[in-house]
Amino acid sequence: MSAARQTLTAESTKSAVVVGASLSGLMAALVLARIGFSVTVLERSDNSFRTGAALHVDQGLLARLTGTRMHNPLAPGIQSWFAVHKALLGAARSHPLVHIVTGSSVEVVEQDDTSAWAATVDGRTFSGDVVVGADGHSSVVRRAVAPERPDATFAGYCIWLGVAQESDLGPGICWPAETAFLGGGEAYLLGYPLPGPDGSVQAGRRQLGWAWYDSSRNDLFRETGCLVGKVVRHSLRASDVPDRTLRELWQDAAQWPTPWRKAVIDSIGRKAVIGTPITEYVPDRLVDGRLALVGDAAHVPTPMTGNGFAASMLGTEALADCLSEMASGYGALEASLRQYQTLRLNDVRRLVQSGQDFSRGFAASRRRARQ
Ligand SMILES: Cc1cc2nc3c(=O)[nH]c(=O)nc-3n(C[C@H](O)[C@H](O)[C@H](O)COP(=O)(O)OP(=O)(O)OC[C@H]3O[C@@H](n4cnc5c(N)ncnc54)[C@H](O)[C@@H]3O)c2cc1C
């Protein structure tokens, strides 16, 4: 631990445990550290299998989260998930009040009148004044906050995701200026031009990301254990997508115009396609006592809303705003968390509900096509 980290951690009187070091967890850690919390972030994996998703980043995101301009700015506009994660992780790692503990799979969270804690599967316990669940759509923390309805449910379709390097797509590509939204009926394709892995927007160094909405292969996700009943357990990793599915996708890709068809076929050829069954969750609550939920742990909209990331950011900021105005004395922290819930609950419920008409119609398109 650096000297600066040791001094600041010792001086900080408030502490938080954040479960999950993906986008919401890192944003929560940064905003809580900004208001003086000493933050321990617990992450079970290295997130290395994530690929494809693209997010809209606001101007000055990192400065806004950290309250300082010391970090390398993250370019505004459409960015790959990896670029956003890398920038947030860099800012969190360099913050003296944030401590990230990887290889920490949280099994259960609990609380009493004076603290809350997270216990990991290997028997360690991390406690703080508050535990923030940023552990995604199948959140463990949500089981404690909303035990009567802990699971997000399958929306009835999946998304295939990939990213292709411009340099692999051959000459003569007419580079798209903006996001493309193609298809209808049983399949949609969202295509997005992205900066290169190094952030470059120079010709030859950029990337094309794509997300293919597919309601026709739900059986595959059941057969592979990704989907059990209505609950999504995990995504289908690129290495686990069967060859026959890749061949079918390769044939079906003929329906997309270039350059998107080329990008899809390139990803399939490299077996660099992951399949994500889509879930939804309309929350009834965001907090319980000293436990709070943010990001996909709190609310899961279909990616078709394009607003999951923005809602996660607004949520972490609202949480920090409420905690920064916390009064002193018994019950003050719980009251601040209830205020956070009051501020955010209706908005995030509406966000998820706004995508449900699309989800129902799209999931039913396969059934209609079969009749
Ligand atoms: C396919 C897809 C496309 C999307 N496209 C868009 C888009 O275009 N625009 C947009 O705004 N949003 C989009 N989203 C949503 C957006 O990516 C998320 O809302 C945003 O990234 C916030 O995610 P999160 O950090 O809350 O959850 P996650 O990214 O799921 O992170 C949860 C983290 O918690 C960790 N974790 C889970 N359980 C435990 C445990 N028990 N112990 C320790 N760690 C744990 C996980 O390893 C992970 O790192 C998309 C989502 C998907 C799935």
Side-chain angles (χ1 to χ4, degrees):
M1 196 185 276
S2 71
R5 188 188 292 278
Q6 266 175 344
T7 312
L8 269 170
T9 306
E11 281 173 4
S12 177
T13 53
K14 299 170 288 185
S15 60
V17 175
V18 174
V19 185
S22 184
L23 306 184
S24 301
L26 294 170
M27 290 192 290
L30 289 169
V31 291
L32 290 172
R34 191 186 69 204
I35 60 165
F37 274 72
S38 163
V39 187
T40 303
V41 187
L42 306 176
E43 172 55 52
R44 67 178 175 192
S45 70
D46 62 2
N47 273 314
S48 58
F49 72 95
R50 299 290 292 257
T51 181
L55 305 160
H56 187 270
V57 173
D58 285 345
Q59 179 86 35
L61 172 71
L62 282 182
R64 185 170 157 180
L65 292 171
T66 59
T68 143
R69 298 194 177 277
M70 62 185 267
H71 301 287
N72 286 335
L74 180 62
I78 301 284
Q79 294 287 344
S80 70
W81 184 92
F82 274 115
V84 182
H85 187 258
K86 187 176 165 194
L88 291 172
L89 188 60
R93 278 194 176 138
S94 64
H95 199 296
L97 282 177
V98 178
H99 180 43
I100 301 173
V101 189
T102 53
S104 304
S105 183
V106 172
E107 191 171 37
V108 66
V109 297
E110 292 177 302
Q111 59 180 319
D112 61 19
D113 285 351
T114 55
S115 68
W117 57 93
T120 60
V121 290
D122 58 3
R124 289 169 295 156
T125 300
F126 297 84
S127 62
D129 295 308
V130 56
V131 168
V132 178
D135 47 345
H137 70 86
S138 47
S139 169
V140 166
V141 183
R142 194 196 295 131
R143 288 181 208 157
V145 171
E148 72 290 349
R149 197 165 58 86
D151 294 319
T153 50
F154 181 50
Y157 55 96
C158 82
I159 300 183
W160 301 102
L161 291 159
V163 176
Q165 307 301 314
E166 184 177 6
S167 54
D168 292 338
L169 298 180
I173 291 276
C174 179
W175 198 254
E178 52 192 31
T179 300
F181 185 58
L182 306 161
E186 268 185 74
Y188 287 90
L189 188 86
L190 193 61
Y192 24 84
L194 294 168
D198 60 354
S200 171
V201 289
Q202 270 179 24
R205 303 176 71 167
R206 300 166 292 189
Q207 306 178 100
L208 284 185
W210 55 271
W212 182 343
Y213 289 65
D214 178 3
S215 63
S216 69
R217 293 184 175 83
N218 295 344
D219 290 347
L220 171 66
F221 291 92
R222 293 195 187 284
E223 287 159 17
T224 49
C226 297
L227 182 59
V228 178
K230 288 188 162 186
V231 177
V232 172
R233 297 279 180 229
H234 53 83
S235 292
L236 192 59
R237 289 169 185 249
S239 54
D240 295 335
V241 180
D243 285 345
R244 71 177 154 79
T245 306
L246 290 174
R247 277 196 299 275
E248 287 169 15
L249 289 171
W250 191 86
Q251 281 166 358
D252 291 355
Q255 70 187 294
W256 309 122
T258 51
W260 308 109
R261 180 171 64 234
K262 279 195 168 192
V264 171
I265 285 177
D266 171 81
S267 302
I268 293 171
R270 288 182 291 109
K271 296 193 172 190
V273 176
I274 68 163
T276 301
I278 296 304
T279 55
E280 288 174 324
Y281 187 81
V282 183
D284 292 321
R285 67 176 77 102
L286 304 176
V287 303
D288 177 66
R290 291 173 173 268
L291 310 177
L293 300 172
V294 294
D296 286 6
H299 42 77
V300 192
T302 168
M304 191 52 97
T305 64
N307 265 317
F309 176 64
S312 303
M313 185 184 71
L314 290 174
T316 56
E317 287 187 317
L319 179 66
D321 285 349
C322 293
L323 286 171
S324 72
E325 289 162 10
M326 183 169 72
S328 57
Y330 185 77
L333 186 135
E334 291 89 333
S336 295
L337 295 188
R338 284 196 299 276
Q339 191 194 352
Y340 155 67
Q341 173 171 277
T342 304
L343 278 176
R344 292 297 299 156
L345 186 59
N346 285 341
D347 282 359
V348 296
R349 281 177 61 85
R350 272 195 294 270
L351 170 64
V352 183
Q353 286 163 343
S354 73
Q356 287 186 317
D357 279 349
F358 166 81
S359 289
R360 288 190 192 115
F362 185 60
S365 65
R366 175 65 175 167
R367 290 196 292 278
R368 282 197 298 272
R370 277 178 173 158
Q371 284 162 5

